[in-house]
Amino acid sequence: MDQIGWVIFLVALLFSVMLHESGHFVAAKRFGMKATKYFIGFGPTLWSTTRGETEYGIKALPVGGYVKIIGMTSLDEVDPEDESRSFRQAPAWQRLIVLAAGSFMHFVLAAVIIFGLAIGIGIENDNTTQLGTVAACVPQSATALNDGAACTASDPKSPALLAGLKVGDQVTSFNGVPVSSWTQLENVIKDAKPGSVATITVERDGRPVTLHAKLADVSGHGGYLGIAATTVFQPTSPLGAIRYTGSGFAQVITGSGSALAQLPKAIPSLFAKDRSQTAAGNVSSVVGAARETGQAVAANVGWQYKVSFVLLLIASLNIFVGILNLLPLLPMDGGHVAVVLWEVIRRWLARLRGRADPGLVDYRKLIPVSFSIFLVIVFFGVMLILADIVNPVNIG
């Protein structure tokens, strides 16, 4: 099952790459630009075919893809008869659309995934009183409780286990107080004194059952019963799905910004034993994402959780890649967008001063900057991949 998860992730990754390049390709063709190549991957060509003026194919290394549009920069050589169809001769607004189309496709794919997930499977909700876990023992401390420490032979059995509570029970009241959410249930448990006997009413197989449990005392935590909520998936309306999609985008954008900001600080801790407890635990490569997909598919949980986790991971990855591509750094799409915008600004300033159009930006001056940024990106990418291979962060 773990290997199936890896395959699912790789297929989804290649599909995302195809959509990205299709965005550039379709937009360029729509504006009459000449696209001579459409390839998935890099390196030696495994297969290709030519249709019309475009060669389509697959390369040996499935780590990206590219579309070759003639005349992308002032350095490209173009046949005189094709110059009118080159990228550089198109109006600025058309060039901006072509450049942004790749990231746009990532955002569309992510929105479709999240919206479809909310409508089809439902939104994950763990604020329910249905029991998903009944602990076997009483943890020795609040730290052991928070860390999910395993039970030892000397640990006493949990009050929930002794009381006869079972996974799937729906708690309806605690000490006579009706509860309809996990938040309410947690609050009334906290209000109960350790050592006191609590009366718990649950719905089991459609019938009410009343049980009694003597709450344990966990140092640093207080009264302890030994239960945890299950996760349920509740399908929502189209309007609710739209709101869920918007909140999902907002969370990923915020998280992406935080992860990028922490990346320089995370590098020294990538190979530390306590990586998960440092900033390095919040950053990952495609290898880490593939491993998480494999773990989720192989986990002993319901199919809804597996599908939800994998789809949200793929959607989050697409949003992150879309944002990363729009950063104003060469050689990424956002860097070329910045160049086009600078050409527009220069042209506007020249017109105000009554001067001639300065024309295209000389990319020869940008090569050192572009190459330096490329090396930095490769460095961070290689470090993350190595860390995810030899010192992975497991999702549990």
Side-chain angles (χ1 to χ4, degrees):
M1 293 298 292
D2 184 82
Q3 294 176 344
I4 293 176
W6 278 74
V7 172
I8 291 173
F9 178 81
L10 291 176
V11 170
L13 183 62
L14 287 177
F15 182 71
S16 298
V17 171
M18 289 177 62
L19 277 183
H20 178 101
E21 300 307 328
S22 294
H24 292 313
F25 182 76
V26 172
K29 298 289 281 186
R30 175 65 180 82
F31 294 132
M33 301 176 192
K34 185 174 182 179
T36 57
K37 293 181 182 293
Y38 177 106
F39 273 83
I40 301 301
F42 293 99
T45 300
L46 298 180
W47 170 86
S48 71
T49 183
T50 300
R51 299 291 179 84
E53 62 187 14
T54 307
E55 181 185 9
Y56 303 85
I58 299 174
K59 298 285 188 177
L61 301 177
V63 291
Y66 67 95
V67 170
K68 174 63 176 177
I69 305 172
I70 66 170
M72 283 292 295
T73 72
S74 57
L75 299 179
D76 295 347
E77 294 185 4
V78 178
D79 291 336
E81 62 270 19
D82 289 333
E83 182 62 37
S84 62
R85 298 184 59 200
S86 67
F87 176 86
R88 62 195 179 203
Q89 292 300 323
W93 66 272
Q94 292 184 359
R95 286 183 283 159
L96 291 174
I97 290 176
V98 171
L99 291 170
S103 289
F104 175 76
M105 295 303 291
H106 285 299
F107 298 146
V108 169
L109 176 60
V112 170
I113 289 175
I114 299 174
F115 183 87
L117 181 63
I119 291 289
I121 295 178
I123 298 174
E124 183 177 341
N125 177 24
D126 57 6
N127 194 26
T128 171
T129 60
Q130 184 177 356
L131 303 186
T133 301
V134 175
C137 65
V138 178
Q140 298 177 0
S141 65
T143 301
L145 172 61
N146 294 332
D147 291 345
C151 294
T152 64
S154 60
D155 292 336
K157 293 183 179 180
S158 74
L161 188 66
L162 293 173
L165 286 167
K166 298 180 179 180
V167 172
D169 285 348
Q170 186 85 33
V171 180
T172 56
S173 71
F174 185 91
N175 277 342
V177 179
V179 292
S180 59
S181 70
W182 190 255
T183 302
Q184 291 178 328
L185 182 56
E186 278 188 320
N187 289 336
V188 293
I189 292 176
K190 289 178 181 178
D191 292 339
K193 294 182 179 180
S196 64
V197 177
T199 300
I200 307 165
T201 302
V202 303
E203 184 176 312
R204 180 183 296 170
D205 298 327
R207 296 179 300 172
V209 177
T210 300
L211 304 168
H212 302 279
K214 184 178 181 179
L215 298 183
D217 186 10
V218 175
S219 176
H221 175 77
Y224 178 76
L225 179 58
I227 58 176
T230 189
T231 298
V232 297
F233 291 85
Q234 301 171 325
T236 185
S237 66
L239 183 60
I242 292 174
R243 288 196 294 264
Y244 182 62
T245 302
S247 65
F249 265 75
Q251 290 177 7
V252 175
I253 291 172
T254 302
S256 299
S258 176
L260 289 173
Q262 293 182 31
L263 190 55
K265 184 173 63 175
I267 291 296
S269 303
L270 284 175
F271 301 94
K273 291 183 179 180
D274 60 341
R275 176 186 172 186
S276 61
Q277 307 300 320
T278 69
N282 298 322
V283 295
S284 181
S285 68
V286 291
V287 172
R291 177 181 284 109
E292 290 185 3
T293 304
Q295 290 176 353
V297 172
N300 186 25
V301 294
W303 70 270
Q304 293 166 307
Y305 177 83
K306 294 182 181 183
V307 174
S308 176
F309 181 91
V310 172
L311 290 180
L312 287 176
L313 178 64
I314 293 171
S316 299
L317 179 64
N318 274 276
I319 296 172
F320 175 78
V321 172
I323 294 171
L324 187 66
N325 264 288
L326 290 179
L327 293 179
L329 302 171
L330 289 170
M332 292 181 290
D333 294 336
H336 292 286
V337 167
V339 170
V340 174
L341 291 176
W342 174 237
E343 289 175 351
V344 172
I345 293 172
R346 286 201 316 171
R347 187 178 302 114
W348 176 71
L349 291 175
R351 188 181 302 116
L352 287 180
R353 298 172 181 175
R355 298 178 180 176
D357 184 351
L360 300 173
V361 167
D362 187 355
Y363 264 80
R364 289 175 298 182
K365 298 179 180 179
L366 300 178
I367 288 177
V369 176
S370 179
F371 185 70
S372 299
I373 295 174
F374 175 75
L375 289 180
V376 171
I377 293 173
V378 170
F379 170 76
F380 280 120
V382 170
M383 293 294 287
L384 286 174
I385 290 173
L386 288 176
D388 284 335
I389 292 174
V390 302
N391 189 34
V393 176
N394 293 319
I395 63 174

